Amino acid sequence: MNYVTKNVKVMMMALATVFVSASIYAAPTTADSKTVSKARLAVEEAAPDDWHTYAESAEKCMKKKVNLKEAKVWLDRSLDIQETPYNLAVMGDYYQMNALPEQALEYYVKSLRLGLEQDINYQDPVTHAKMMKARSKVIRAAK
C-alpha cells in the first residue's frame, strides 16, 4: 500500500509540474496582454478613415511578437484606407519577420517610391537599410 501511495504522490507532483510549466510558457505575459488590449481598443475607437491607428497598432503588436494574425488584418485595413510610406514599410516589416523577404522587399520599395513621389527630398534611411537587407536575402535565395 505504501508503494502505491508513493507512486500516486509522484504522479501528482509530475502532473502539477507539467501544468505549472505549461501555464508559464503558454500564457502571454501581462505586458503582452496589455499591448494587445491597448491596440484593440485603439482600433475599435479609430475613425473609419484613420489608416495611421491601424498601422501603428499592428506595429506595436509586431514589436512584441504578439497577435500577429490580427496585426496583418489591421495592416491590410490601413493600406485599404490609404497607402503611405509608413504603413507600406510596416507591411514590409511584417513580411520580413515572417521570413518572406521577396514580399518584404516589394513593400519597402513601394514605401520608398511613394515617399519620393510625395516629396522629392524624401529620405528614410531605416527603410532603405531594411530594403537592402531583404534584397540581399532574395539574391542569396536565388543562387
Side-chain angles (χ1 to χ4, degrees):
M1 188 70 147
N2 194 12
Y3 177 74
V4 172
T5 306
K6 274 187 177 179
N7 281 343
V8 170
K9 285 183 182 178
V10 169
M11 286 293 281
M12 293 302 284
M13 290 296 284
L15 283 173
T17 303
V18 168
F19 286 123
V20 169
S21 297
S23 66
I24 288 172
Y25 291 108
T29 64
T30 305
D32 292 346
S33 298
K34 285 182 182 177
T35 299
V36 172
S37 296
K38 287 180 181 179
R40 283 185 179 145
L41 182 61
V43 166
E44 288 170 12
E45 293 178 350
D49 62 344
D50 186 359
W51 62 267
H52 191 267
T53 298
Y54 285 98
E56 186 177 51
S57 296
E59 185 178 37
K60 287 178 183 178
C61 289
M62 289 165 44
K63 284 183 179 177
K64 296 277 188 169
K65 296 181 181 172
V66 295
N67 197 34
L68 297 179
K69 286 183 181 179
E70 196 168 18
K72 173 69 165 74
V73 171
W74 294 338
L75 279 172
D76 288 336
R77 176 74 179 123
S78 175
L79 290 166
D80 286 344
I81 295 168
Q82 181 179 345
E83 287 190 0
T84 68
Y86 173 67
N87 60 9
L88 288 166
V90 174
M91 184 62 92
D93 293 344
Y94 175 83
Y95 284 122
Q96 187 76 336
M97 89 181 299
N98 284 290
L100 297 166
E102 288 180 19
Q103 290 88 340
L105 178 60
E106 176 186 345
Y107 278 91
Y108 291 143
V109 169
K110 282 183 180 181
S111 171
L112 294 169
R113 184 175 291 142
L114 183 59
L116 285 170
E117 287 172 4
Q118 293 173 349
D119 176 6
I120 193 67
N121 296 314
Y122 178 80
Q123 291 184 6
D124 184 351
V126 173
T127 301
H128 187 268
K130 290 176 183 179
M131 179 194 69
M132 296 306 290
K133 183 177 178 182
R135 181 178 171 271
S136 295
K137 288 182 179 183
V138 169
I139 290 170
R140 271 185 267 144
K143 289 182 181 182

Short mmCIF file of all heavy atoms in Angstrom, two decimals, residues 64-88:
data_model
loop_
_atom_site.label_atom_id
_atom_site.label_comp_id
_atom_site.label_asym_id
_atom_site.label_seq_id
_atom_site.Cartn_x
_atom_site.Cartn_y
_atom_site.Cartn_z
N LYS A 64 6.26 43.36 -30.20
CA LYS A 64 6.17 42.42 -29.07
C LYS A 64 6.00 40.98 -29.52
O LYS A 64 5.98 40.06 -28.71
CB LYS A 64 4.98 42.79 -28.17
CG LYS A 64 5.09 44.13 -27.51
CD LYS A 64 5.90 44.03 -26.27
CE LYS A 64 5.84 45.36 -25.52
NZ LYS A 64 6.39 45.25 -24.20
N LYS A 65 5.82 40.79 -30.85
CA LYS A 65 5.61 39.47 -31.44
C LYS A 65 4.38 38.78 -30.85
O LYS A 65 4.40 37.60 -30.50
CB LYS A 65 6.85 38.59 -31.29
CG LYS A 65 8.03 39.14 -32.04
CD LYS A 65 9.25 38.28 -31.93
CE LYS A 65 10.38 38.95 -32.71
NZ LYS A 65 11.63 38.30 -32.52
N VAL A 66 3.29 39.54 -30.74
CA VAL A 66 2.02 39.01 -30.26
C VAL A 66 0.91 39.40 -31.24
O VAL A 66 1.03 40.39 -31.96
CB VAL A 66 1.66 39.55 -28.85
CG1 VAL A 66 2.66 39.06 -27.81
CG2 VAL A 66 1.57 41.06 -28.82
N ASN A 67 -0.13 38.61 -31.29
CA ASN A 67 -1.33 38.94 -32.05
C ASN A 67 -1.03 39.24 -33.52
O ASN A 67 -1.59 40.16 -34.11
CB ASN A 67 -2.02 40.15 -31.38
CG ASN A 67 -3.44 40.32 -31.80
OD1 ASN A 67 -4.14 39.35 -32.05
ND2 ASN A 67 -3.88 41.56 -31.90
N LEU A 68 -0.16 38.45 -34.10
CA LEU A 68 0.32 38.75 -35.45
C LEU A 68 -0.74 38.57 -36.54
O LEU A 68 -0.74 39.31 -37.52
CB LEU A 68 1.56 37.90 -35.77
CG LEU A 68 2.76 38.18 -34.88
CD1 LEU A 68 3.93 37.28 -35.26
CD2 LEU A 68 3.18 39.63 -34.93
N LYS A 69 -1.64 37.63 -36.37
CA LYS A 69 -2.69 37.46 -37.38
C LYS A 69 -3.59 38.68 -37.43
O LYS A 69 -3.93 39.17 -38.51
CB LYS A 69 -3.52 36.21 -37.08
CG LYS A 69 -2.81 34.92 -37.39
CD LYS A 69 -3.68 33.72 -37.15
CE LYS A 69 -2.90 32.45 -37.45
NZ LYS A 69 -3.70 31.26 -37.21
N GLU A 70 -3.98 39.18 -36.27
CA GLU A 70 -4.83 40.37 -36.24
C GLU A 70 -4.05 41.59 -36.71
O GLU A 70 -4.60 42.48 -37.37
CB GLU A 70 -5.39 40.58 -34.84
CG GLU A 70 -6.55 41.53 -34.78
CD GLU A 70 -7.28 41.51 -33.45
OE1 GLU A 70 -6.72 41.03 -32.44
OE2 GLU A 70 -8.43 41.98 -33.44
N ALA A 71 -2.76 41.64 -36.40
CA ALA A 71 -1.92 42.75 -36.86
C ALA A 71 -1.91 42.80 -38.39
O ALA A 71 -1.98 43.88 -38.99
CB ALA A 71 -0.51 42.60 -36.33
N LYS A 72 -1.85 41.65 -39.04
CA LYS A 72 -1.89 41.60 -40.51
C LYS A 72 -3.21 42.13 -41.04
O LYS A 72 -3.26 42.89 -42.01
CB LYS A 72 -1.66 40.15 -40.98
CG LYS A 72 -1.84 39.92 -42.48
CD LYS A 72 -0.75 40.57 -43.29
CE LYS A 72 -0.68 40.06 -44.71
NZ LYS A 72 -1.72 40.51 -45.59
N VAL A 73 -4.31 41.79 -40.38
CA VAL A 73 -5.63 42.29 -40.78
C VAL A 73 -5.66 43.81 -40.66
O VAL A 73 -6.17 44.52 -41.54
CB VAL A 73 -6.75 41.64 -39.93
CG1 VAL A 73 -8.09 42.31 -40.18
CG2 VAL A 73 -6.83 40.14 -40.21
N TRP A 74 -5.09 44.34 -39.57
CA TRP A 74 -5.06 45.79 -39.36
C TRP A 74 -4.21 46.47 -40.43
O TRP A 74 -4.56 47.54 -40.91
CB TRP A 74 -4.54 46.13 -37.98
CG TRP A 74 -5.43 45.68 -36.85
CD1 TRP A 74 -6.77 45.39 -36.92
CD2 TRP A 74 -5.05 45.46 -35.51
NE1 TRP A 74 -7.22 45.02 -35.69
CE2 TRP A 74 -6.20 45.04 -34.80
CE3 TRP A 74 -3.86 45.56 -34.81
CZ2 TRP A 74 -6.19 44.75 -33.44
CZ3 TRP A 74 -3.84 45.27 -33.46
CH2 TRP A 74 -5.00 44.87 -32.78
N LEU A 75 -3.10 45.86 -40.77
CA LEU A 75 -2.25 46.44 -41.82
C LEU A 75 -2.97 46.45 -43.16
O LEU A 75 -2.91 47.44 -43.90
CB LEU A 75 -0.94 45.65 -41.95
CG LEU A 75 0.13 45.99 -40.94
CD1 LEU A 75 1.29 45.02 -41.05
CD2 LEU A 75 0.60 47.41 -41.14
N ASP A 76 -3.65 45.36 -43.48
CA ASP A 76 -4.42 45.32 -44.73
C ASP A 76 -5.48 46.42 -44.73
O ASP A 76 -5.67 47.10 -45.73
CB ASP A 76 -5.09 43.96 -44.92
CG ASP A 76 -4.10 42.86 -45.27
OD1 ASP A 76 -3.01 43.18 -45.81
OD2 ASP A 76 -4.41 41.68 -45.00
N ARG A 77 -6.14 46.61 -43.61
CA ARG A 77 -7.17 47.65 -43.49
C ARG A 77 -6.54 49.04 -43.66
O ARG A 77 -7.07 49.90 -44.37
CB ARG A 77 -7.88 47.55 -42.14
CG ARG A 77 -8.88 48.63 -41.87
CD ARG A 77 -10.15 48.44 -42.69
NE ARG A 77 -11.07 49.51 -42.37
CZ ARG A 77 -11.58 50.35 -43.25
NH1 ARG A 77 -11.31 50.21 -44.52
NH2 ARG A 77 -12.38 51.31 -42.88
N SER A 78 -5.40 49.26 -43.03
CA SER A 78 -4.70 50.53 -43.15
C SER A 78 -4.35 50.83 -44.60
O SER A 78 -4.57 51.94 -45.09
CB SER A 78 -3.42 50.51 -42.30
OG SER A 78 -2.67 51.67 -42.47
N LEU A 79 -3.84 49.83 -45.30
CA LEU A 79 -3.47 50.00 -46.70
C LEU A 79 -4.70 50.20 -47.60
O LEU A 79 -4.63 50.90 -48.60
CB LEU A 79 -2.63 48.83 -47.19
CG LEU A 79 -1.23 48.76 -46.58
CD1 LEU A 79 -0.59 47.40 -46.84
CD2 LEU A 79 -0.35 49.88 -47.10
N ASP A 80 -5.80 49.56 -47.23
CA ASP A 80 -7.05 49.77 -47.99
C ASP A 80 -7.53 51.21 -47.87
O ASP A 80 -8.07 51.77 -48.82
CB ASP A 80 -8.15 48.83 -47.49
CG ASP A 80 -7.95 47.39 -47.92
OD1 ASP A 80 -7.14 47.14 -48.85
OD2 ASP A 80 -8.59 46.50 -47.33
N ILE A 81 -7.34 51.79 -46.69
CA ILE A 81 -7.77 53.18 -46.47
C ILE A 81 -6.89 54.13 -47.26
O ILE A 81 -7.37 54.97 -48.00
CB ILE A 81 -7.76 53.53 -44.97
CG1 ILE A 81 -8.78 52.68 -44.21
CG2 ILE A 81 -8.02 55.02 -44.76
CD1 ILE A 81 -8.65 52.75 -42.70
N GLN A 82 -5.56 53.98 -47.09
CA GLN A 82 -4.62 54.86 -47.79
C GLN A 82 -3.22 54.27 -47.71
O GLN A 82 -2.74 53.94 -46.63
CB GLN A 82 -4.62 56.25 -47.16
CG GLN A 82 -3.69 57.22 -47.84
CD GLN A 82 -3.72 58.60 -47.21
OE1 GLN A 82 -4.61 58.92 -46.44
NE2 GLN A 82 -2.74 59.41 -47.53
N GLU A 83 -2.57 54.16 -48.84
CA GLU A 83 -1.17 53.71 -48.85
C GLU A 83 -0.28 54.90 -48.55
O GLU A 83 -0.38 55.95 -49.19
CB GLU A 83 -0.81 53.10 -50.20
CG GLU A 83 -1.42 51.75 -50.42
CD GLU A 83 -0.88 51.04 -51.65
OE1 GLU A 83 -0.01 51.59 -52.37
OE2 GLU A 83 -1.33 49.90 -51.89
N THR A 84 0.60 54.72 -47.56
CA THR A 84 1.56 55.74 -47.17
C THR A 84 2.93 55.09 -47.01
O THR A 84 3.01 53.86 -46.86
CB THR A 84 1.18 56.40 -45.82
OG1 THR A 84 1.33 55.44 -44.77
CG2 THR A 84 -0.25 56.94 -45.85
N PRO A 85 3.99 55.88 -47.03
CA PRO A 85 5.31 55.28 -46.79
C PRO A 85 5.38 54.52 -45.46
O PRO A 85 6.00 53.46 -45.38
CB PRO A 85 6.25 56.48 -46.80
CG PRO A 85 5.58 57.48 -47.68
CD PRO A 85 4.11 57.30 -47.39
N TYR A 86 4.68 55.04 -44.47
CA TYR A 86 4.72 54.41 -43.13
C TYR A 86 4.07 53.03 -43.14
O TYR A 86 4.68 52.04 -42.75
CB TYR A 86 4.05 55.32 -42.10
CG TYR A 86 3.90 54.68 -40.73
CD1 TYR A 86 5.01 54.38 -39.96
CD2 TYR A 86 2.64 54.36 -40.23
CE1 TYR A 86 4.87 53.80 -38.71
CE2 TYR A 86 2.50 53.78 -38.99
CZ TYR A 86 3.61 53.49 -38.23
OH TYR A 86 3.48 52.90 -37.00
N ASN A 87 2.81 52.95 -43.57
CA ASN A 87 2.15 51.64 -43.47
C ASN A 87 2.72 50.63 -44.49
O ASN A 87 2.71 49.43 -44.23
CB ASN A 87 0.63 51.75 -43.54
CG ASN A 87 0.06 52.35 -44.79
OD1 ASN A 87 0.76 52.57 -45.77
ND2 ASN A 87 -1.23 52.65 -44.76
N LEU A 88 3.24 51.11 -45.61
CA LEU A 88 3.91 50.20 -46.54
C LEU A 88 5.18 49.61 -45.92
O LEU A 88 5.47 48.42 -46.07
CB LEU A 88 4.23 50.93 -47.84
CG LEU A 88 3.03 51.25 -48.74
CD1 LEU A 88 3.42 52.26 -49.81
CD2 LEU A 88 2.45 49.99 -49.37
#
